[in-house]
Amino acid sequence: TESFQEGVRIPPVRLARAGVIDEDIVAILAANSRVPVSNRGDLAGQLNALDLGEKRLNALLDDYGEATVTAALDAFTARAEALMRDAVAALPDGTFSFEDFLDNDGIVDTPLRIALDLTVTADRMTLDFSRSSPPCRGPLNIARSTAVACCYVALKHVFPDVPANAGCLAPIDFVIPETTLLGVSAPKPVGGYTETILRVIGVVFGALARAVPERATAGPFGTINALSLAGHRDDGSRFVMFSFYGGGLGGNPESDGLNHANNPISTATIPPVEILEAAYPVMFTQWALRPDSAGAGRHRGGLGAVYEIEVLAK
């Protein structure tokens, strides 16, 4: 019921100064993990990726100069904005409303409304979530920045030809009041945010479907489908297996929805069964598409999945 119950909260702090890692911060992170060696490896991978990115950016600047690179980046942003304005201008003017519900917040058994009034005026679009439910006691609230990111994901699915950068959102106005569960601040709990953002994406799809039904994309399966198993191997070492498993994505005017796909909220992948069995003491006795789990239609939704897992350790 509050963010302090959701784990250690670490504000933005410097992990390194003048290229030297602050090992005190790393020690804090490691002490809060059941698999600190794995977490240190993840951190090292991220830091190395940042170092490589810095080197390649400097090489680009050395080859073309700061003015040319800056102009190119500005041009990319302007192009995305122009394409998004053209896409919005092609929609009919008017207000198109859609709403959906989360069953409850896990504390109070009352449905939570996610409501959107989408207004198109010339080449601008306003996404107004004012009619959504107020902040809830349970962890299904999200912050304004998260709500905006959900809308970005949904718009990119409907307008896939628009390049992925900040220019996409230049013609988009957001109304996300703090009096709704979509615009909260600490200490409101947000640990279950993944369920809410999927509903937001589906609501944006629904409102756009009323504006341009010929481009409608049905909503995806409505949960994050995260699987977590933890325990001890025979040698006493600990393991934590965390992975995503798939479901059916919504159909669209051109094709069926994807079978056993990951949700459209990130670039995370579903690990192959061989990788999971090699890395953890588990055996999958079934990994299959769920028969008859797709919705009917000329272009049906995708099939869900059936997983059966035997844990081979304590």
Side-chain angles (χ1 to χ4, degrees):
T1 56
E2 59 179 356
S3 58
F4 298 104
Q5 299 165 329
E6 295 179 323
V8 177
R9 301 175 69 228
I10 301 173
V13 294
R14 290 184 183 274
L15 181 63
R17 293 178 183 273
V20 179
I21 299 294
D22 187 336
E23 292 296 335
D24 288 344
I25 294 178
V26 176
I28 292 171
L29 297 173
N32 282 279
S33 172
R34 289 170 290 184
V35 284
V37 174
S38 177
N39 277 11
R40 283 178 178 269
D42 288 345
L43 180 60
Q46 292 179 31
L47 293 175
N48 286 331
L50 290 171
D51 287 342
L52 180 60
E54 180 189 9
K55 290 175 182 176
R56 289 183 173 172
L57 179 58
N58 282 328
L60 192 68
L61 291 167
D62 290 340
D63 288 343
Y64 296 99
E66 180 180 347
T68 299
V69 172
T70 300
L73 295 176
D74 290 342
F76 287 145
T77 304
R79 179 169 178 265
E81 177 180 349
L83 289 173
M84 183 60 85
R85 286 188 184 278
D86 288 345
V88 173
L91 303 176
D93 282 6
T95 297
F96 308 92
S97 300
F98 194 86
E99 62 184 45
D100 201 353
F101 293 84
L102 294 160
D103 290 342
N104 56 60
D105 68 354
I107 304 295
V108 180
D109 192 14
T110 301
L112 301 172
R113 175 185 287 107
I114 310 295
L116 170 61
D117 297 312
L118 184 154
T119 300
V120 177
T121 305
D123 64 352
R124 294 201 66 84
M125 177 188 295
T126 299
L127 302 178
D128 186 346
F129 291 93
S130 298
R131 295 189 297 107
S132 299
S133 292
C136 57
R137 289 186 61 198
L140 295 185
N141 304 288
I142 61 175
R144 175 188 172 87
S145 56
T146 305
V148 170
C150 301
C151 298
Y152 170 82
V153 170
L155 291 171
K156 277 295 295 160
H157 276 77
V158 178
F159 306 115
D161 295 333
V162 179
N165 63 53
C168 291
L169 297 184
I172 313 298
D173 297 312
F174 296 93
V175 181
I176 309 172
E178 295 180 356
T179 53
T180 70
L181 81 165
L182 307 180
V184 305
S185 302
K188 291 291 185 183
V190 295
Y193 71 99
T194 52
E195 305 304 299
T196 306
I197 63 180
L198 289 169
R199 198 67 77 241
V200 171
I201 291 172
V203 165
V204 176
F205 284 172
L208 285 168
R210 292 183 171 172
V212 279
E214 67 274 12
R215 300 193 66 168
T217 297
F221 63 101
T223 184
I224 188 58
N225 276 11
L227 171 65
S228 180
L229 293 172
H232 293 81
R233 295 182 174 87
D234 291 340
D235 62 4
S237 62
R238 304 193 73 157
F239 74 92
V240 178
M241 185 183 91
F242 182 89
S243 67
F244 297 104
Y245 58 101
L249 298 190
N252 60 73
E254 297 182 359
S255 66
D256 294 342
L258 291 175
N259 299 320
H260 186 222
N262 203 3
N263 255 305
I265 60 172
S266 74
T267 57
T269 58
I270 300 169
V273 61
E274 295 84 0
I275 296 297
L276 294 174
E277 288 185 340
Y280 305 103
V282 299
M283 179 173 66
F284 284 78
T285 56
Q286 185 174 186
W287 177 299
L289 297 178
R290 184 181 296 277
D292 302 320
S293 59
R298 176 180 296 176
H299 294 141
R300 60 163 176 75
L303 293 167
V306 179
Y307 285 16
E308 292 181 0
I309 306 172
E310 181 180 349
V311 180
L312 305 178
K314 296 178 182 180

